[in-house]
Amino acid sequence: MTQLNEKSSVITGSATGTGPAATKLGNDAPTAVLIGVTGGLGHALAKLMAAEGYRLVLAARRENDAAALTGRNDGSAIYQRADVTDLESLEKLASAAFEHLGRVDAVVNLAGISPRKAIEEYTLADIDDLLAINVKGPMFVTRAFLPGLRKQAGKAVVVHVGGAMDGRVALPFMSSYAASRGALASYVQSANRELAGTNIMLSFFGPVPSNTEAESPFFDMWSKLGVDLCEPDQVAREILATIRKRRQVHVMGGGTLKMLTIANAISPSIADAMGLRKIWQAHAAVSPTLIGHEHCDERVACQPIGLPVPCKLWPQHT
């Protein structure tokens, strides 16, 4: 796992630095930090939040430009390299964010990997990467920002973008990955109980398969399964709604997806009787075994997430 131990660089649209933003938006504008922002979902979220008047700090492992990601060149956004597996880089990111923004209303962590394999085919390297990125990563993000969030006035939400449904639905051929997402769901729940009575809240966000470059190796598979991929803009809108409505858990989808989530929580055997196991065994049969970044596009081949049900069955939640 490559880690960024060198001094992190900060890039704005036309200038470099971490000083307070001199923008037309003003200090009353909402603020956010987006991590893992260079992929399809992250790019869509950056553009949406910029259009909605947010002042932003954007971050990922690769060098990039804030203006290119947001479509704005007014200094309202800066970009800094950071790695969710490297706590020191995240602490530097948090410091830069509070200096640039003054306060942080929301942090969104989009980083994640989702290797899908048979149980015995998961390697030690696979498991180490899953723990480093999907489990320790969200913990490091939360830990890096929590001291500053405690000190500031006003409410804040830290959104961790997880896997399909609520993170507790364990699907075939995703055993180690499912364990990492279950760990994240439990971490968010535990942290929220600990933070009760404060202005800080964590959120678990369950997205659906999207029409992104990272998902492109699986377009044919989704087509064979009769799945209409959701556009990244739609996922971005639901992440923004999760921030504004301070949802502790949000699962994209309508009645079908929620019904399966609830059934699995009551009894996994009920969810299996509803066809969950058979659907995902068929899903695995037509899908290659690849490892990649789930949301942030930092590798070419990324795993699909979500239940193979047409996106048109999943209305927006407002």
Side-chain angles (χ1 to χ4, degrees):
M1 182 64 57
T2 302
Q3 296 187 355
L4 301 178
N5 294 319
E6 69 274 17
K7 184 178 180 180
S8 299
S9 58
V10 180
I11 304 172
T12 65
S14 58
T16 301
T18 58
T23 72
K24 298 178 181 178
L25 297 178
N27 291 332
D28 292 335
T31 63
V33 180
L34 311 182
I35 303 170
V37 76
T38 54
L41 296 185
H43 195 178
L45 183 60
K47 292 187 70 173
L48 172 64
M49 296 186 79
E52 291 288 321
Y54 276 76
R55 294 185 292 127
L56 299 169
V57 173
L58 312 175
R61 297 192 304 169
R62 295 178 297 183
E63 210 70 61
N64 218 300
D65 180 75
L69 291 169
T70 63
R72 301 181 61 148
N73 195 23
D74 58 3
S76 61
I78 64 171
Y79 184 95
Q80 175 153 332
R81 291 178 64 190
D83 185 339
V84 298
T85 68
D86 180 4
L87 179 58
E88 183 180 356
S89 79
L90 292 171
E91 289 172 340
K92 291 178 180 178
L93 173 64
S95 178
F98 284 107
E99 184 177 352
H100 177 74
L101 301 172
R103 72 177 194 285
V104 174
D105 299 326
V107 179
V108 183
N109 170 32
L110 297 117
I113 59 171
S114 55
R116 181 179 62 248
K117 299 180 178 182
I119 297 168
E120 63 273 22
E121 291 180 0
Y122 277 100
T123 66
L124 290 178
D126 292 337
I127 295 169
D128 285 344
D129 284 351
L130 279 165
L131 292 175
I133 298 171
N134 290 5
V135 181
K136 293 170 67 176
M139 294 177 182
F140 285 176
V141 169
T142 305
R143 177 174 169 176
F145 281 89
L146 194 56
L149 296 178
R150 287 186 186 277
K151 293 177 183 177
Q152 72 180 18
K155 296 179 178 180
V157 58
V158 181
V159 179
H160 294 295
V161 180
M165 293 174 267
D166 65 352
R168 303 180 188 278
V169 180
L171 303 170
F173 299 97
M174 301 184 82
S175 56
S176 295
Y177 167 70
S180 74
R181 286 316 189 191
L184 174 58
S186 293
Y187 177 74
V188 168
Q189 184 180 88
S190 175
N192 280 328
R193 286 174 173 156
E194 184 173 335
L195 294 169
T198 73
N199 288 328
I200 307 165
M201 187 197 77
L202 271 61
S203 174
F204 181 99
F205 181 90
V208 291
S210 303
N211 184 19
T212 64
E213 182 180 353
E215 203 69 41
S216 60
F218 303 95
F219 285 172
D220 184 60
M221 178 198 70
W222 289 122
S223 177
K224 290 177 181 178
L225 289 170
V227 175
D228 295 329
L229 299 177
C230 293
E231 293 301 318
D233 290 346
Q234 178 182 343
V235 181
R237 286 193 297 271
E238 294 213 26
I239 293 175
L240 182 55
T242 296
I243 292 170
R244 287 174 168 168
K245 298 187 177 183
R246 295 177 60 81
R247 297 164 172 155
Q248 291 192 12
V249 178
H250 179 61
V251 177
M252 282 189 70
T256 300
L257 199 57
K258 285 194 171 184
M259 180 173 60
L260 284 169
T261 301
I262 294 171
N264 186 78
I266 297 171
S267 171
S269 62
I270 295 177
D272 287 344
M274 294 169 62
L276 186 61
R277 180 187 296 167
K278 291 181 180 179
I279 289 173
W280 277 93
Q281 285 175 339
H283 167 64
V286 296
S287 173
T289 298
L290 296 171
I291 300 177
H293 277 59
E294 189 172 51
H295 313 298
C296 61
D297 286 5
E298 294 204 4
R299 300 180 191 176
V300 174
C302 292
Q303 292 307 309
I305 55 176
L307 186 68
V309 177
C311 182
K312 62 187 177 182
L313 297 181
W314 299 346
Q316 290 287 317
H317 287 265
T318 57

